Amino acid sequence: MAELLDIFRALADPTRLRVVALLREMELAIGELAIVLDQSQPRVSRHVRILAEAGIVERRREGSWVFLRIVQDGPIRTMIDQVEKWPFSAREGRVIAYDARRLAAIRNDRAAAAARYFAEHAAEWDAIRSRHVAESEVESAMLAMVAGRRLGHLLDIGTGTGRMAEIFAPTARRITALDRSPEMLRLARAKLADQPVPIDLVQGDFLALPMDDASIDSIVIHQALHFAHEPDRVIAEAARVLRGGGHLLVVDFAPHEDEELRILAAHARLGFSDAQIRGWFASAGLLLESGQTLEGGELAVKLWLGRRRSDEDQTPASEGGQTRKLAA
């Protein structure tokens, strides 16, 4: 009863109701809420603190920014989702429309910031893309490799601009898109605003994933492993959070000698062999199910699909015919 009273007290304020309505539409930073509501940040922060203490909203830090959203699980979400059915008065309708227009301006600002970032970095990205097979071919191969498998809750490690979350959204139940860079997460947030499944954008490191053991159904690491100085630890950490029978898809370059990528794009490792990935998978409790090589250009792109061992698995993949097929 006390918890329910706290919730109703927190909602018994026009500004806090506006905050809740806005956060139903998208995650927002304190500063963005202040702009939409045309109020000072300290005042908005006070309202947010009351909502957070009542368990209605939750905070997530990305660098110097703090993003807010409605609590995703439990009865709060069901309660808040009923708000849109309330018969608002004409005056209240005008306030809602005013907030909607200002929220649209926030969306436009995010999109413009993303466009500027892309324009500033287009030359270096194009230089890397020109050295390997087209991204469309890589993405098609990735979708084909996991076709027929239930992705469930998918973790995209090193999401960057959110492209992997975008292409897997139609077949996943939920996506967590993780990146160490707050700037990249802001770009991804602009890209992923209208996806058909819940997408959580989380700042974190691939060596210390902020998830519980065996809590994720599937994982993709697309063109991120080469940034790791200890890629075996990245694979082990991914395996830790993967449930039994869940899948890990790694996409990266085959071994190459393009030292310029160390300077141009901060690559710590110049590609990976089948033997390396097989060994790291095995050490992490993963069975290497399949692999594929995409040739085209100076750099070959490799795909490796692993599965977390479950009680039904009796022998490691390295003892079967699949390993011989994949041997480099």
Side-chain angles (χ1 to χ4, degrees), residues 138 141-142 145-146 155 157 164 168 219-226 231 234-236 238-239 247-253 271-274 276-278 280-281 286 288 290-292 301-307:
V138 176
M142 293 175 69
M145 189 166 278
V146 300
L155 171 62
I157 295 178
M164 291 299 103
F168 285 111
I219 300 175
V220 60
I221 307 177
H222 172 257
Q223 296 291 12
L225 196 61
H226 57 237
V234 176
I235 297 296
H247 286 86
L248 167 63
L249 175 60
V250 176
V251 180
D252 217 297
F253 295 125
F272 306 98
S273 69
D274 290 330
Q276 285 176 309
I277 297 295
R278 184 188 306 112
W280 294 334
F281 273 24
L286 299 171
L288 183 57
S290 59
Q292 186 176 355
V301 176
K302 304 278 293 185
L303 293 82
W304 299 277
L305 183 66
R307 176 169 55 84

mmCIF file of all heavy atoms in Angstrom, residues 138 141-142 145-146 155 157 164 168 219-226 231 234-236 238-239 247-253 271-274 276-278 280-281 286 288 290-292 301-307:
data_model
loop_
_atom_site.group_PDB
_atom_site.id
_atom_site.type_symbol
_atom_site.label_atom_id
_atom_site.label_comp_id
_atom_site.label_asym_id
_atom_site.label_seq_id
_atom_site.Cartn_x
_atom_site.Cartn_y
_atom_site.Cartn_z
ATOM 1 N N VAL A 138 27.642 -8.342 -46.510
ATOM 2 C CA VAL A 138 27.954 -8.832 -45.160
ATOM 3 C C VAL A 138 26.675 -8.986 -44.352
ATOM 4 O O VAL A 138 26.454 -10.007 -43.687
ATOM 5 C CB VAL A 138 28.922 -7.865 -44.445
ATOM 6 C CG1 VAL A 138 29.167 -8.324 -43.011
ATOM 7 C CG2 VAL A 138 30.239 -7.760 -45.206
ATOM 8 N N ALA A 141 24.655 -11.984 -45.399
ATOM 9 C CA ALA A 141 25.271 -13.219 -44.905
ATOM 10 C C ALA A 141 24.985 -13.414 -43.421
ATOM 11 O O ALA A 141 24.738 -14.547 -42.966
ATOM 12 C CB ALA A 141 26.773 -13.192 -45.160
ATOM 13 N N MET A 142 25.000 -12.349 -42.656
ATOM 14 C CA MET A 142 24.711 -12.443 -41.222
ATOM 15 C C MET A 142 23.276 -12.899 -40.988
ATOM 16 O O MET A 142 23.019 -13.792 -40.166
ATOM 17 C CB MET A 142 24.947 -11.085 -40.555
ATOM 18 C CG MET A 142 26.396 -10.632 -40.543
ATOM 19 S SD MET A 142 26.607 -8.967 -39.874
ATOM 20 C CE MET A 142 26.214 -9.239 -38.147
ATOM 21 N N MET A 145 22.892 -16.535 -41.791
ATOM 22 C CA MET A 145 23.548 -17.443 -40.851
ATOM 23 C C MET A 145 22.700 -17.704 -39.609
ATOM 24 O O MET A 145 22.757 -18.783 -39.019
ATOM 25 C CB MET A 145 24.917 -16.895 -40.462
ATOM 26 C CG MET A 145 25.765 -17.870 -39.661
ATOM 27 S SD MET A 145 27.513 -17.390 -39.553
ATOM 28 C CE MET A 145 28.129 -18.001 -41.134
ATOM 29 N N VAL A 146 21.890 -16.734 -39.195
ATOM 30 C CA VAL A 146 21.055 -16.923 -38.000
ATOM 31 C C VAL A 146 19.600 -17.197 -38.352
ATOM 32 O O VAL A 146 18.747 -17.283 -37.459
ATOM 33 C CB VAL A 146 21.139 -15.695 -37.065
ATOM 34 C CG1 VAL A 146 22.563 -15.468 -36.602
ATOM 35 C CG2 VAL A 146 20.584 -14.440 -37.738
ATOM 36 N N LEU A 155 21.982 -9.030 -27.654
ATOM 37 C CA LEU A 155 22.960 -8.031 -27.219
ATOM 38 C C LEU A 155 23.877 -7.694 -28.386
ATOM 39 O O LEU A 155 24.524 -8.575 -28.941
ATOM 40 C CB LEU A 155 23.774 -8.582 -26.042
ATOM 41 C CG LEU A 155 24.998 -7.759 -25.599
ATOM 42 C CD1 LEU A 155 24.576 -6.380 -25.118
ATOM 43 C CD2 LEU A 155 25.773 -8.501 -24.520
ATOM 44 N N ILE A 157 27.133 -5.938 -29.150
ATOM 45 C CA ILE A 157 28.332 -5.427 -28.485
ATOM 46 C C ILE A 157 29.125 -4.555 -29.452
ATOM 47 O O ILE A 157 29.514 -4.999 -30.531
ATOM 48 C CB ILE A 157 29.219 -6.586 -27.979
ATOM 49 C CG1 ILE A 157 28.478 -7.375 -26.895
ATOM 50 C CG2 ILE A 157 30.540 -6.049 -27.430
ATOM 51 C CD1 ILE A 157 29.265 -8.573 -26.379
ATOM 52 N N MET A 164 23.531 -2.768 -36.533
ATOM 53 C CA MET A 164 23.206 -4.167 -36.268
ATOM 54 C C MET A 164 21.869 -4.295 -35.547
ATOM 55 O O MET A 164 21.052 -5.176 -35.853
ATOM 56 C CB MET A 164 24.316 -4.832 -35.442
ATOM 57 C CG MET A 164 25.621 -5.012 -36.189
ATOM 58 S SD MET A 164 25.451 -6.064 -37.655
ATOM 59 C CE MET A 164 25.468 -4.805 -38.970
ATOM 60 N N PHE A 168 18.584 -6.429 -37.101
ATOM 61 C CA PHE A 168 18.069 -7.583 -36.368
ATOM 62 C C PHE A 168 16.760 -7.289 -35.634
ATOM 63 O O PHE A 168 16.131 -8.211 -35.107
ATOM 64 C CB PHE A 168 19.108 -8.094 -35.367
ATOM 65 C CG PHE A 168 20.241 -8.853 -36.011
ATOM 66 C CD1 PHE A 168 21.524 -8.327 -36.049
ATOM 67 C CD2 PHE A 168 20.016 -10.082 -36.608
ATOM 68 C CE1 PHE A 168 22.570 -9.020 -36.646
ATOM 69 C CE2 PHE A 168 21.046 -10.783 -37.213
ATOM 70 C CZ PHE A 168 22.329 -10.254 -37.230
ATOM 71 N N ILE A 219 23.988 -12.925 -29.147
ATOM 72 C CA ILE A 219 24.936 -11.811 -29.134
ATOM 73 C C ILE A 219 25.538 -11.647 -30.519
ATOM 74 O O ILE A 219 25.821 -12.641 -31.197
ATOM 75 C CB ILE A 219 26.073 -12.057 -28.116
ATOM 76 C CG1 ILE A 219 25.517 -12.209 -26.701
ATOM 77 C CG2 ILE A 219 27.099 -10.927 -28.149
ATOM 78 C CD1 ILE A 219 26.561 -12.581 -25.661
ATOM 79 N N VAL A 220 25.741 -10.415 -30.939
ATOM 80 C CA VAL A 220 26.464 -10.134 -32.170
ATOM 81 C C VAL A 220 27.606 -9.169 -31.847
ATOM 82 O O VAL A 220 27.430 -8.206 -31.101
ATOM 83 C CB VAL A 220 25.538 -9.548 -33.258
ATOM 84 C CG1 VAL A 220 24.890 -8.255 -32.804
ATOM 85 C CG2 VAL A 220 26.294 -9.320 -34.557
ATOM 86 N N ILE A 221 28.787 -9.480 -32.365
ATOM 87 C CA ILE A 221 29.945 -8.589 -32.268
ATOM 88 C C ILE A 221 30.405 -8.329 -33.701
ATOM 89 O O ILE A 221 31.111 -9.133 -34.303
ATOM 90 C CB ILE A 221 31.096 -9.209 -31.445
ATOM 91 C CG1 ILE A 221 30.605 -9.689 -30.079
ATOM 92 C CG2 ILE A 221 32.224 -8.195 -31.272
ATOM 93 C CD1 ILE A 221 31.691 -10.367 -29.249
ATOM 94 N N HIS A 222 29.981 -7.221 -34.252
ATOM 95 C CA HIS A 222 30.237 -6.902 -35.649
ATOM 96 C C HIS A 222 31.331 -5.851 -35.758
ATOM 97 O O HIS A 222 31.166 -4.720 -35.297
ATOM 98 C CB HIS A 222 28.947 -6.405 -36.314
ATOM 99 C CG HIS A 222 29.151 -5.868 -37.698
ATOM 100 N ND1 HIS A 222 29.182 -4.513 -37.969
ATOM 101 C CD2 HIS A 222 29.360 -6.498 -38.883
ATOM 102 C CE1 HIS A 222 29.385 -4.336 -39.264
ATOM 103 N NE2 HIS A 222 29.500 -5.511 -39.839
ATOM 104 N N GLN A 223 32.458 -6.222 -36.338
ATOM 105 C CA GLN A 223 33.573 -5.307 -36.585
ATOM 106 C C GLN A 223 33.953 -4.523 -35.321
ATOM 107 O O GLN A 223 34.235 -3.319 -35.373
ATOM 108 C CB GLN A 223 33.233 -4.352 -37.733
ATOM 109 C CG GLN A 223 33.039 -5.037 -39.077
ATOM 110 C CD GLN A 223 34.329 -5.613 -39.655
ATOM 111 O OE1 GLN A 223 35.347 -5.706 -38.983
ATOM 112 N NE2 GLN A 223 34.281 -6.019 -40.903
ATOM 113 N N ALA A 224 33.960 -5.216 -34.191
ATOM 114 C CA ALA A 224 34.365 -4.587 -32.933
ATOM 115 C C ALA A 224 35.500 -5.344 -32.258
ATOM 116 O O ALA A 224 36.251 -4.763 -31.484
ATOM 117 C CB ALA A 224 33.174 -4.484 -31.974
ATOM 118 N N LEU A 225 35.644 -6.634 -32.572
ATOM 119 C CA LEU A 225 36.657 -7.436 -31.882
ATOM 120 C C LEU A 225 38.066 -6.950 -32.193
ATOM 121 O O LEU A 225 38.967 -7.069 -31.354
ATOM 122 C CB LEU A 225 36.501 -8.912 -32.266
ATOM 123 C CG LEU A 225 37.214 -9.930 -31.359
ATOM 124 C CD1 LEU A 225 36.686 -9.851 -29.937
ATOM 125 C CD2 LEU A 225 37.057 -11.337 -31.918
ATOM 126 N N HIS A 226 38.277 -6.384 -33.384
ATOM 127 C CA HIS A 226 39.627 -5.942 -33.727
ATOM 128 C C HIS A 226 40.087 -4.725 -32.929
ATOM 129 O O HIS A 226 41.242 -4.334 -32.998
ATOM 130 C CB HIS A 226 39.758 -5.675 -35.242
ATOM 131 C CG HIS A 226 38.782 -4.680 -35.773
ATOM 132 N ND1 HIS A 226 37.918 -4.979 -36.797
ATOM 133 C CD2 HIS A 226 38.518 -3.389 -35.450
ATOM 134 C CE1 HIS A 226 37.184 -3.924 -37.084
ATOM 135 N NE2 HIS A 226 37.538 -2.948 -36.279
ATOM 136 N N PRO A 231 41.282 -10.052 -27.253
ATOM 137 C CA PRO A 231 40.004 -10.528 -27.799
ATOM 138 C C PRO A 231 39.490 -11.804 -27.153
ATOM 139 O O PRO A 231 38.272 -12.034 -27.112
ATOM 140 C CB PRO A 231 40.322 -10.739 -29.286
ATOM 141 C CG PRO A 231 41.805 -10.804 -29.371
ATOM 142 C CD PRO A 231 42.328 -9.949 -28.279
ATOM 143 N N VAL A 234 37.243 -10.829 -24.427
ATOM 144 C CA VAL A 234 35.956 -10.339 -24.927
ATOM 145 C C VAL A 234 35.026 -11.518 -25.213
ATOM 146 O O VAL A 234 33.835 -11.503 -24.844
ATOM 147 C CB VAL A 234 36.151 -9.492 -26.198
ATOM 148 C CG1 VAL A 234 34.804 -9.057 -26.764
ATOM 149 C CG2 VAL A 234 37.020 -8.281 -25.901
ATOM 150 N N ILE A 235 35.549 -12.555 -25.868
ATOM 151 C CA ILE A 235 34.754 -13.746 -26.161
ATOM 152 C C ILE A 235 34.295 -14.412 -24.858
ATOM 153 O O ILE A 235 33.130 -14.820 -24.720
ATOM 154 C CB ILE A 235 35.570 -14.754 -26.998
ATOM 155 C CG1 ILE A 235 35.948 -14.145 -28.354
ATOM 156 C CG2 ILE A 235 34.797 -16.057 -27.182
ATOM 157 C CD1 ILE A 235 34.795 -13.817 -29.255
ATOM 158 N N ALA A 236 35.198 -14.526 -23.887
ATOM 159 C CA ALA A 236 34.852 -15.154 -22.613
ATOM 160 C C ALA A 236 33.768 -14.368 -21.878
ATOM 161 O O ALA A 236 32.852 -14.948 -21.284
ATOM 162 C CB ALA A 236 36.093 -15.282 -21.738
ATOM 163 N N ALA A 238 31.509 -12.401 -23.279
ATOM 164 C CA ALA A 238 30.259 -12.591 -24.009
ATOM 165 C C ALA A 238 29.635 -13.937 -23.648
ATOM 166 O O ALA A 238 28.418 -14.049 -23.437
ATOM 167 C CB ALA A 238 30.506 -12.502 -25.511
ATOM 168 N N ALA A 239 30.464 -14.971 -23.560
ATOM 169 C CA ALA A 239 29.965 -16.303 -23.208
ATOM 170 C C ALA A 239 29.370 -16.323 -21.807
ATOM 171 O O ALA A 239 28.412 -17.056 -21.536
ATOM 172 C CB ALA A 239 31.088 -17.324 -23.327
ATOM 173 N N HIS A 247 23.338 -18.154 -28.971
ATOM 174 C CA HIS A 247 24.310 -18.022 -30.059
ATOM 175 C C HIS A 247 25.100 -16.722 -29.991
ATOM 176 O O HIS A 247 24.576 -15.673 -29.601
ATOM 177 C CB HIS A 247 23.601 -18.104 -31.412
ATOM 178 C CG HIS A 247 23.165 -19.484 -31.772
ATOM 179 N ND1 HIS A 247 21.962 -20.012 -31.352
ATOM 180 C CD2 HIS A 247 23.789 -20.464 -32.497
ATOM 181 C CE1 HIS A 247 21.850 -21.250 -31.807
ATOM 182 N NE2 HIS A 247 22.929 -21.548 -32.498
ATOM 183 N N LEU A 248 26.357 -16.817 -30.386
ATOM 184 C CA LEU A 248 27.243 -15.658 -30.535
ATOM 185 C C LEU A 248 27.714 -15.598 -31.983
ATOM 186 O O LEU A 248 28.298 -16.558 -32.490
ATOM 187 C CB LEU A 248 28.450 -15.777 -29.608
ATOM 188 C CG LEU A 248 29.616 -14.804 -29.872
ATOM 189 C CD1 LEU A 248 29.180 -13.358 -29.662
ATOM 190 C CD2 LEU A 248 30.814 -15.134 -28.982
ATOM 191 N N LEU A 249 27.456 -14.470 -32.638
ATOM 192 C CA LEU A 249 27.894 -14.255 -34.015
ATOM 193 C C LEU A 249 28.982 -13.180 -34.013
ATOM 194 O O LEU A 249 28.744 -12.047 -33.588
ATOM 195 C CB LEU A 249 26.725 -13.808 -34.891
ATOM 196 C CG LEU A 249 27.050 -13.433 -36.344
ATOM 197 C CD1 LEU A 249 27.675 -14.607 -37.089
ATOM 198 C CD2 LEU A 249 25.798 -12.938 -37.067
ATOM 199 N N VAL A 250 30.172 -13.570 -34.475
ATOM 200 C CA VAL A 250 31.292 -12.643 -34.572
ATOM 201 C C VAL A 250 31.577 -12.381 -36.050
ATOM 202 O O VAL A 250 31.699 -13.316 -36.837
ATOM 203 C CB VAL A 250 32.556 -13.206 -33.893
ATOM 204 C CG1 VAL A 250 33.744 -12.264 -34.097
ATOM 205 C CG2 VAL A 250 32.314 -13.429 -32.402
ATOM 206 N N VAL A 251 31.686 -11.113 -36.405
ATOM 207 C CA VAL A 251 32.004 -10.719 -37.778
ATOM 208 C C VAL A 251 33.203 -9.779 -37.733
ATOM 209 O O VAL A 251 33.170 -8.756 -37.035
ATOM 210 C CB VAL A 251 30.809 -10.012 -38.460
ATOM 211 C CG1 VAL A 251 31.172 -9.621 -39.888
ATOM 212 C CG2 VAL A 251 29.573 -10.890 -38.431
ATOM 213 N N ASP A 252 34.258 -10.158 -38.450
ATOM 214 C CA ASP A 252 35.467 -9.324 -38.435
ATOM 215 C C ASP A 252 36.316 -9.680 -39.643
ATOM 216 O O ASP A 252 35.890 -10.469 -40.501
ATOM 217 C CB ASP A 252 36.243 -9.513 -37.128
ATOM 218 C CG ASP A 252 36.859 -8.202 -36.645
ATOM 219 O OD1 ASP A 252 37.714 -7.661 -37.358
ATOM 220 O OD2 ASP A 252 36.458 -7.732 -35.562
ATOM 221 N N PHE A 253 37.503 -9.105 -39.713
ATOM 222 C CA PHE A 253 38.377 -9.345 -40.857
ATOM 223 C C PHE A 253 39.182 -10.631 -40.677
ATOM 224 O O PHE A 253 39.523 -11.026 -39.558
ATOM 225 C CB PHE A 253 39.343 -8.176 -41.041
ATOM 226 C CG PHE A 253 38.667 -6.878 -41.393
ATOM 227 C CD1 PHE A 253 38.873 -5.742 -40.634
ATOM 228 C CD2 PHE A 253 37.825 -6.810 -42.483
ATOM 229 C CE1 PHE A 253 38.256 -4.553 -40.948
ATOM 230 C CE2 PHE A 253 37.194 -5.618 -42.819
ATOM 231 C CZ PHE A 253 37.408 -4.495 -42.052
ATOM 232 N N GLY A 271 42.890 -8.572 -37.918
ATOM 233 C CA GLY A 271 42.125 -9.728 -38.340
ATOM 234 C C GLY A 271 42.345 -10.953 -37.464
ATOM 235 O O GLY A 271 43.208 -10.970 -36.580
ATOM 236 N N PHE A 272 41.543 -12.005 -37.746
ATOM 237 C CA PHE A 272 41.562 -13.220 -36.947
ATOM 238 C C PHE A 272 41.445 -14.449 -37.846
ATOM 239 O O PHE A 272 40.754 -14.419 -38.867
ATOM 240 C CB PHE A 272 40.416 -13.216 -35.931
ATOM 241 C CG PHE A 272 40.392 -12.002 -35.056
ATOM 242 C CD1 PHE A 272 39.560 -10.935 -35.356
ATOM 243 C CD2 PHE A 272 41.216 -11.910 -33.947
ATOM 244 C CE1 PHE A 272 39.532 -9.801 -34.564
ATOM 245 C CE2 PHE A 272 41.199 -10.771 -33.146
ATOM 246 C CZ PHE A 272 40.361 -9.714 -33.452
ATOM 247 N N SER A 273 42.090 -15.518 -37.435
ATOM 248 C CA SER A 273 42.002 -16.775 -38.178
ATOM 249 C C SER A 273 40.918 -17.664 -37.590
ATOM 250 O O SER A 273 40.479 -17.471 -36.444
ATOM 251 C CB SER A 273 43.343 -17.507 -38.123
ATOM 252 O OG SER A 273 43.597 -17.970 -36.801
ATOM 253 N N ASP A 274 40.508 -18.673 -38.359
ATOM 254 C CA ASP A 274 39.542 -19.652 -37.850
ATOM 255 C C ASP A 274 40.091 -20.354 -36.611
ATOM 256 O O ASP A 274 39.358 -20.615 -35.651
ATOM 257 C CB ASP A 274 39.225 -20.692 -38.933
ATOM 258 C CG ASP A 274 38.414 -20.117 -40.081
ATOM 259 O OD1 ASP A 274 37.632 -19.172 -39.832
ATOM 260 O OD2 ASP A 274 38.559 -20.600 -41.207
ATOM 261 N N GLN A 276 42.176 -19.250 -34.347
ATOM 262 C CA GLN A 276 42.111 -18.382 -33.175
ATOM 263 C C GLN A 276 40.700 -18.357 -32.589
ATOM 264 O O GLN A 276 40.499 -18.543 -31.384
ATOM 265 C CB GLN A 276 42.531 -16.955 -33.547
ATOM 266 C CG GLN A 276 44.022 -16.757 -33.744
ATOM 267 C CD GLN A 276 44.331 -15.342 -34.204
ATOM 268 O OE1 GLN A 276 43.740 -14.838 -35.169
ATOM 269 N NE2 GLN A 276 45.255 -14.692 -33.528
ATOM 270 N N ILE A 277 39.729 -18.097 -33.449
ATOM 271 C CA ILE A 277 38.345 -18.001 -32.988
ATOM 272 C C ILE A 277 37.883 -19.328 -32.405
ATOM 273 O O ILE A 277 37.230 -19.373 -31.350
ATOM 274 C CB ILE A 277 37.418 -17.559 -34.134
ATOM 275 C CG1 ILE A 277 37.802 -16.147 -34.620
ATOM 276 C CG2 ILE A 277 35.961 -17.604 -33.691
ATOM 277 C CD1 ILE A 277 37.586 -15.055 -33.592
ATOM 278 N N ARG A 278 38.239 -20.422 -33.076
ATOM 279 C CA ARG A 278 37.841 -21.753 -32.589
ATOM 280 C C ARG A 278 38.386 -21.985 -31.184
ATOM 281 O O ARG A 278 37.678 -22.482 -30.290
ATOM 282 C CB ARG A 278 38.350 -22.828 -33.534
ATOM 283 C CG ARG A 278 37.912 -24.236 -33.161
ATOM 284 C CD ARG A 278 38.589 -25.286 -34.018
ATOM 285 N NE ARG A 278 38.400 -25.026 -35.447
ATOM 286 C CZ ARG A 278 39.377 -24.676 -36.272
ATOM 287 N NH1 ARG A 278 40.615 -24.544 -35.821
ATOM 288 N NH2 ARG A 278 39.124 -24.481 -37.543
ATOM 289 N N TRP A 280 39.371 -19.722 -28.917
ATOM 290 C CA TRP A 280 38.755 -18.824 -27.932
ATOM 291 C C TRP A 280 37.325 -19.257 -27.620
ATOM 292 O O TRP A 280 36.899 -19.194 -26.467
ATOM 293 C CB TRP A 280 38.781 -17.393 -28.441
ATOM 294 C CG TRP A 280 40.171 -16.835 -28.557
ATOM 295 C CD1 TRP A 280 41.281 -17.216 -27.843
ATOM 296 C CD2 TRP A 280 40.609 -15.802 -29.449
ATOM 297 N NE1 TRP A 280 42.372 -16.492 -28.233
ATOM 298 C CE2 TRP A 280 42.003 -15.603 -29.211
ATOM 299 C CE3 TRP A 280 39.992 -15.019 -30.415
ATOM 300 C CZ2 TRP A 280 42.753 -14.661 -29.902
ATOM 301 C CZ3 TRP A 280 40.738 -14.075 -31.108
ATOM 302 C CH2 TRP A 280 42.097 -13.901 -30.851
ATOM 303 N N PHE A 281 36.597 -19.693 -28.650
ATOM 304 C CA PHE A 281 35.245 -20.197 -28.419
ATOM 305 C C PHE A 281 35.286 -21.400 -27.479
ATOM 306 O O PHE A 281 34.524 -21.479 -26.513
ATOM 307 C CB PHE A 281 34.602 -20.599 -29.745
ATOM 308 C CG PHE A 281 33.902 -19.467 -30.476
ATOM 309 C CD1 PHE A 281 34.246 -18.148 -30.255
ATOM 310 C CD2 PHE A 281 32.904 -19.736 -31.385
ATOM 311 C CE1 PHE A 281 33.616 -17.108 -30.929
ATOM 312 C CE2 PHE A 281 32.250 -18.713 -32.058
ATOM 313 C CZ PHE A 281 32.601 -17.398 -31.832
ATOM 314 N N LEU A 286 32.003 -22.391 -25.835
ATOM 315 C CA LEU A 286 31.181 -22.206 -27.030
ATOM 316 C C LEU A 286 31.540 -23.246 -28.086
ATOM 317 O O LEU A 286 32.721 -23.553 -28.292
ATOM 318 C CB LEU A 286 31.384 -20.806 -27.624
ATOM 319 C CG LEU A 286 31.016 -19.616 -26.733
ATOM 320 C CD1 LEU A 286 31.487 -18.317 -27.368
ATOM 321 C CD2 LEU A 286 29.517 -19.565 -26.493
ATOM 322 N N LEU A 288 31.717 -24.007 -32.019
ATOM 323 C CA LEU A 288 31.752 -23.303 -33.299
ATOM 324 C C LEU A 288 30.878 -24.064 -34.280
ATOM 325 O O LEU A 288 31.237 -25.141 -34.740
ATOM 326 C CB LEU A 288 33.194 -23.209 -33.810
ATOM 327 C CG LEU A 288 33.409 -22.433 -35.108
ATOM 328 C CD1 LEU A 288 32.876 -21.014 -34.990
ATOM 329 C CD2 LEU A 288 34.888 -22.412 -35.478
ATOM 330 N N SER A 290 29.404 -22.816 -37.336
ATOM 331 C CA SER A 290 29.621 -22.574 -38.763
ATOM 332 C C SER A 290 30.467 -21.333 -38.959
ATOM 333 O O SER A 290 30.623 -20.509 -38.057
ATOM 334 C CB SER A 290 28.274 -22.405 -39.496
ATOM 335 O OG SER A 290 27.534 -21.331 -38.953
ATOM 336 N N GLY A 291 31.030 -21.221 -40.144
ATOM 337 C CA GLY A 291 31.844 -20.066 -40.501
ATOM 338 C C GLY A 291 31.719 -19.774 -41.978
ATOM 339 O O GLY A 291 31.304 -20.640 -42.767
ATOM 340 N N GLN A 292 32.048 -18.565 -42.359
ATOM 341 C CA GLN A 292 31.945 -18.163 -43.757
ATOM 342 C C GLN A 292 32.972 -17.077 -44.048
ATOM 343 O O GLN A 292 33.272 -16.243 -43.188
ATOM 344 C CB GLN A 292 30.529 -17.639 -44.054
ATOM 345 C CG GLN A 292 30.264 -17.330 -45.517
ATOM 346 C CD GLN A 292 28.820 -16.912 -45.765
ATOM 347 O OE1 GLN A 292 27.992 -16.947 -44.861
ATOM 348 N NE2 GLN A 292 28.520 -16.512 -46.981
ATOM 349 N N VAL A 301 36.247 -10.621 -45.220
ATOM 350 C CA VAL A 301 35.402 -10.541 -44.035
ATOM 351 C C VAL A 301 35.008 -11.950 -43.624
ATOM 352 O O VAL A 301 34.602 -12.760 -44.464
ATOM 353 C CB VAL A 301 34.148 -9.686 -44.294
ATOM 354 C CG1 VAL A 301 33.233 -9.692 -43.074
ATOM 355 C CG2 VAL A 301 34.545 -8.253 -44.647
ATOM 356 N N LYS A 302 35.130 -12.244 -42.335
ATOM 357 C CA LYS A 302 34.829 -13.567 -41.811
ATOM 358 C C LYS A 302 33.610 -13.504 -40.892
ATOM 359 O O LYS A 302 33.404 -12.529 -40.179
ATOM 360 C CB LYS A 302 36.012 -14.113 -41.014
ATOM 361 C CG LYS A 302 37.327 -14.169 -41.769
ATOM 362 C CD LYS A 302 37.451 -15.386 -42.645
ATOM 363 C CE LYS A 302 37.547 -16.659 -41.845
ATOM 364 N NZ LYS A 302 37.789 -17.843 -42.715
ATOM 365 N N LEU A 303 32.807 -14.578 -40.924
ATOM 366 C CA LEU A 303 31.683 -14.724 -40.010
ATOM 367 C C LEU A 303 31.856 -16.032 -39.250
ATOM 368 O O LEU A 303 32.122 -17.080 -39.867
ATOM 369 C CB LEU A 303 30.343 -14.749 -40.746
ATOM 370 C CG LEU A 303 29.874 -13.474 -41.461
ATOM 371 C CD1 LEU A 303 30.525 -13.338 -42.830
ATOM 372 C CD2 LEU A 303 28.356 -13.488 -41.609
ATOM 373 N N TRP A 304 31.710 -15.991 -37.931
ATOM 374 C CA TRP A 304 31.789 -17.189 -37.107
ATOM 375 C C TRP A 304 30.553 -17.239 -36.211
ATOM 376 O O TRP A 304 30.252 -16.265 -35.503
ATOM 377 C CB TRP A 304 33.023 -17.165 -36.220
ATOM 378 C CG TRP A 304 34.340 -17.125 -36.934
ATOM 379 C CD1 TRP A 304 35.034 -18.182 -37.456
ATOM 380 C CD2 TRP A 304 35.153 -15.970 -37.194
ATOM 381 N NE1 TRP A 304 36.212 -17.758 -38.011
ATOM 382 C CE2 TRP A 304 36.321 -16.405 -37.861
ATOM 383 C CE3 TRP A 304 35.007 -14.612 -36.904
ATOM 384 C CZ2 TRP A 304 37.325 -15.529 -38.258
ATOM 385 C CZ3 TRP A 304 36.003 -13.734 -37.302
ATOM 386 C CH2 TRP A 304 37.144 -14.191 -37.967
ATOM 387 N N LEU A 305 29.847 -18.357 -36.221
ATOM 388 C CA LEU A 305 28.666 -18.522 -35.379
ATOM 389 C C LEU A 305 28.946 -19.600 -34.336
ATOM 390 O O LEU A 305 29.232 -20.755 -34.681
ATOM 391 C CB LEU A 305 27.447 -18.914 -36.210
ATOM 392 C CG LEU A 305 26.144 -19.048 -35.419
ATOM 393 C CD1 LEU A 305 25.703 -17.693 -34.864
ATOM 394 C CD2 LEU A 305 25.027 -19.643 -36.290
ATOM 395 N N GLY A 306 28.868 -19.220 -33.072
ATOM 396 C CA GLY A 306 29.087 -20.158 -31.982
ATOM 397 C C GLY A 306 27.832 -20.338 -31.158
ATOM 398 O O GLY A 306 26.943 -19.475 -31.151
ATOM 399 N N ARG A 307 27.757 -21.449 -30.452
ATOM 400 C CA ARG A 307 26.617 -21.727 -29.579
ATOM 401 C C ARG A 307 27.121 -22.086 -28.187
ATOM 402 O O ARG A 307 28.067 -22.857 -28.045
ATOM 403 C CB ARG A 307 25.767 -22.866 -30.149
ATOM 404 C CG ARG A 307 24.606 -23.282 -29.242
ATOM 405 C CD ARG A 307 23.650 -24.221 -29.971
ATOM 406 N NE ARG A 307 24.340 -25.378 -30.499
ATOM 407 C CZ ARG A 307 24.605 -26.484 -29.779
ATOM 408 N NH1 ARG A 307 24.274 -26.552 -28.503
ATOM 409 N NH2 ARG A 307 25.220 -27.511 -30.346
#
